[in-house]
Amino acid sequence: SAWSSLNMKAETGTTSRRNFGAAIAAGAAALVGAPDNAKAYDLPDLPYAFEALEPYIDTPTMKIHHDKHHATYVANINKATEGKDEVPILALQADAIEAGKPVRNNAGGHYNHAFFWQEMAPADEAAKMKPSAQLAELIDKSFGSMDEMKSQFEAAAAPGAVFGSGWVWVCVNQAGDELKIVGTPNQDNPLMKGVADEIMFPILGLDVWEHAYYLKYQNRRPEYVSNWWNVVNWDKISENCAYVVENHAGVSV
Amino acid sequence: NNDAVVQQFELPPLPYAYDALEPMISSKTLNYHHDKHHAKYVNTMNSMLAAAENDELKSLTALEDIILYAHQKGNVGLFNNAAQSWNHEFYWNCMTSPKNGGGKPPKQSHVSKLIQSSFGSHDEFVKQFTNAGNTAFGSGWAWLCYTSTPDNNKKLFVTKTIGAGTPLTDNDNGVVVPILTMDVWEHAYYLDYQNARPTYTETFLNKLVNWDFVESNLKKAMKMNDDKGEEL
């Protein structure tokens, strides 16, 4: 599909894209006049318009979530890594906790959000998609059925399960033969050492920080979560699955 | 009769009308924050208490004791809901109409004097409290607490907690009593300020702090701690 080819990453290791997003990140960092190539990380553009995920995720939320929250993580990780060798944001994940809070919170925040935008598509496009045979087989093997996976995912996303701010993920395990659902706090993710029992490779993730849904859903997080399936880009999720199983590594963003 | 009736709590009403904190905090926010979020913590806590099997837990009637019990036993679910019930009731009382709220406490008040002696100046307290509120990553709370060290050194300090965390569980090295809190979970400010948490923090300090309540908390804390029952 058109969305799938837009989201496809040609090679690993690509993080910087000169784009309008870079200007937003520069503004967010208040580094007026600083050359763009002084910063390792750019705010990626959304693969769709701000209103594209209506009515399931509202336009103001997409705008603020991307232009403010994500932009701030980009600005902050640039600050935190100033003077260091440039590495892809994926490469900062494994040792993020050891690297200390500025890296943990902001490398995690940048990666998680860049990953998140790519997973979604307008509802009418998403409705035409379904998991690949490989993904469907893994889902059935790991959970019994797609419905069962969604049910467990929604339970893991509940306010009592991820208490406060965090994310919920479907990951491929280390052995590469099973899918696991895991919730993580704040901007941690399963690629980070020490977060889960073993490092795992996300193929799907949902932001359940209140800023991801509060303008439209307020306290009704379960409604946000169950509505979210309408905008999941199963083509991209299937690509993620194929990639992580083949490469035993996290998806690049 | 061996069937003790387990404690059940009621959702306390807001100490003011839903629009009392306008335009700093909207009535829409207070509606959701009190009637949905706070209510859910109380209801969930009540359900957990009603289903409790432990005799010690079933005998507790004070919310603080339930919080400490849950903390001690590592009962995360009960702790989260009990502590959040306490934190929210405290938070409502920490605020008052912007007509009277915020700014500096009265010069002759105990809290004013203790802020001076503990921080050096009111501005330094503002700086630390602001920093605590703005850097509590994710969901949490900023606090002003009273402490009295074993050698009876009374002072105030700022701290921050994550999730449902509360200074009530910090009583290991002597007395720690919260006297002021600010909720920095996104639900506390998102409808009104979106990502601009620093603006919310600044507004809270400038316009909303109920210094009367803070003063009364401090006086209670100092009386509690003073074995000699000295007149304040």
Side-chain angles (χ1 to χ4, degrees):
Chain A
S1 81
W3 294 106
S4 167
S5 58
L6 263 180
N7 297 338
M8 179 83 82
K9 280 290 160 281
E11 73 268 359
T12 60
T14 304
T15 51
S16 273
R17 281 185 292 150
R18 303 192 71 77
N19 52 34
F20 178 61
I24 297 177
L31 288 170
V32 177
D36 282 339
N37 59 14
K39 297 188 296 298
Y41 306 107
D42 292 335
L43 177 69
D45 285 341
L46 291 181
Y48 32 70
F50 292 117
E51 61 266 24
L53 306 183
E54 289 270 9
Y56 304 106
I57 302 183
D58 57 299
T59 308
T61 292
M62 290 304 292
K63 198 159 176 17
I64 296 166
H65 202 174
H66 175 265
D67 289 1
K68 306 286 184 188
H69 291 277
H70 188 181
T72 300
Y73 290 123
V74 173
N76 287 345
I77 191 58
N78 280 327
K79 233 188 297 180
T81 56
E82 215 173 309
K84 307 217 173 107
D85 287 339
E86 282 193 25
V87 297
I89 195 67
L90 173 64
L92 290 183
Q93 304 306 307
D95 296 320
I97 292 179
E98 198 182 307
K101 281 200 188 136
V103 171
R104 175 184 188 167
N105 291 343
N106 296 293
H110 175 31
Y111 180 86
N112 296 343
H113 286 85
F115 182 89
F116 185 52
W117 310 133
Q118 292 174 5
E119 295 178 81
M120 297 185 286
D124 56 349
E125 287 288 331
K128 298 177 202 160
M129 303 178 191
K130 61 187 170 107
S132 62
Q134 178 194 38
L135 177 55
E137 193 188 314
L138 265 174
I139 288 173
D140 289 349
K141 176 188 175 190
S142 310
F143 305 106
S145 67
M146 172 66 96
D147 279 349
E148 183 55 31
M149 183 186 86
K150 286 184 178 179
S151 175
Q152 287 188 29
F153 188 89
E154 291 181 25
V162 178
F163 185 75
S165 307
W167 292 71
V168 190
W169 309 90
V170 175
C171 304
V172 170
N173 63 351
Q174 272 292 321
D177 60 3
E178 204 179 341
L179 297 176
K180 303 271 194 191
I181 291 171
V182 62
T184 55
N186 292 342
Q187 295 298 343
D188 292 353
N189 63 51
L191 293 167
M192 298 178 180
K193 263 180 241 167
V195 164
D197 293 337
E198 56 176 27
I199 288 181
M200 292 190 285
F201 311 110
I203 63 169
L204 178 149
L206 176 61
D207 190 347
V208 291
W209 279 61
E210 286 172 328
H211 67 239
Y213 61 88
Y214 209 79
L215 295 182
K216 180 182 172 68
Y217 294 97
Q218 293 88 50
N219 60 302
R220 300 180 306 281
R221 190 198 285 183
E223 191 185 323
Y224 158 70
V225 176
S226 63
N227 274 354
W228 182 67
W229 300 115
N230 290 295
V231 294
V232 170
N233 181 336
W234 288 106
D235 288 353
K236 178 64 163 101
I237 308 303
S238 301
E239 282 165 27
N240 289 347
C241 181
Y243 182 85
V244 309
V245 168
E246 162 122 14
N247 293 283
H248 198 70
V251 168
S252 286
V253 296
Chain B
N1 181 10
N2 287 326
D3 291 332
V5 177
V6 78
Q7 183 69 3
Q8 296 281 273
F9 293 89
E10 281 187 13
L11 174 69
L14 284 179
Y16 29 68
Y18 287 89
D19 61 3
L21 308 183
E22 294 260 13
M24 279 69 209
I25 296 181
S26 63
S27 57
K28 190 171 182 202
T29 291
L30 287 190
N31 231 295
Y32 283 110
H33 202 174
H34 176 268
D35 291 4
K36 303 289 180 189
H37 292 276
H38 186 181
K40 183 106 196 284
Y41 291 127
V42 174
N43 292 340
T44 305
M45 169 181 60
N46 283 341
S47 301
M48 290 176 169
L49 291 173
E53 298 191 334
N54 179 283
D55 285 339
E56 186 190 347
L57 177 57
K58 290 201 292 195
S59 73
L60 299 176
T61 56
L63 184 53
E64 284 90 345
D65 292 336
I66 290 169
I67 291 168
L68 291 173
Y69 172 92
H71 175 73
Q72 214 179 62
K73 301 292 183 186
N75 186 336
V76 173
L78 179 60
F79 176 81
N80 284 343
N81 288 285
Q84 285 292 78
S85 297
W86 193 100
N87 293 344
H88 281 87
E89 183 173 6
F90 194 68
Y91 171 62
W92 307 134
N93 286 287
C94 283
M95 295 187 290
T96 188
S97 162
K99 295 189 202 117
N100 327 308
K104 295 184 180 175
K107 256 201 197 129
Q108 291 311 307
S109 62
H110 293 280
V111 67
S112 173
K113 292 181 195 165
L114 219 45
I115 281 176
Q116 291 294 327
S117 62
S118 307
F119 296 98
S121 66
H122 185 83
D123 284 349
E124 180 60 25
F125 151 70
V126 166
K127 187 166 161 221
Q128 288 191 27
F129 192 88
T130 297
N131 187 60
N134 292 342
T135 62
F137 190 68
S139 306
W141 301 78
W143 303 86
L144 177 63
C145 297
Y146 165 83
T147 185
S148 177
T149 59
D151 58 349
N152 210 31
N153 181 20
K154 300 172 173 33
K155 69 180 176 98
L156 302 179
F157 67 96
V158 165
T159 189
K160 59 188 178 189
T161 58
I162 52 169
T166 161
L168 291 178
T169 56
D170 289 344
N171 274 286
D172 294 337
N173 280 320
V175 174
V176 173
V177 180
I179 64 171
L180 169 67
T181 196
M182 177 178 69
D183 190 350
V184 291
W185 282 59
E186 285 175 328
H187 65 237
Y189 60 87
Y190 212 78
L191 295 180
D192 301 323
Y193 297 93
Q194 290 85 64
N195 63 302
R197 189 195 287 188
T199 310
Y200 160 71
T201 300
E202 190 181 10
T203 304
F204 177 89
L205 286 166
N206 286 344
K207 295 285 184 186
L208 295 175
V209 174
N210 181 349
W211 286 113
D212 285 349
F213 180 66
V214 178
E215 176 77 353
S216 81
N217 291 335
L218 178 58
K219 280 157 79 168
K220 247 188 272 179
M222 289 169 87
K223 203 170 267 175
M224 263 168 50
N225 183 51
D226 197 335
D227 294 285
K228 299 179 196 146
E230 265 179 313
E231 282 291 291
L232 290 171

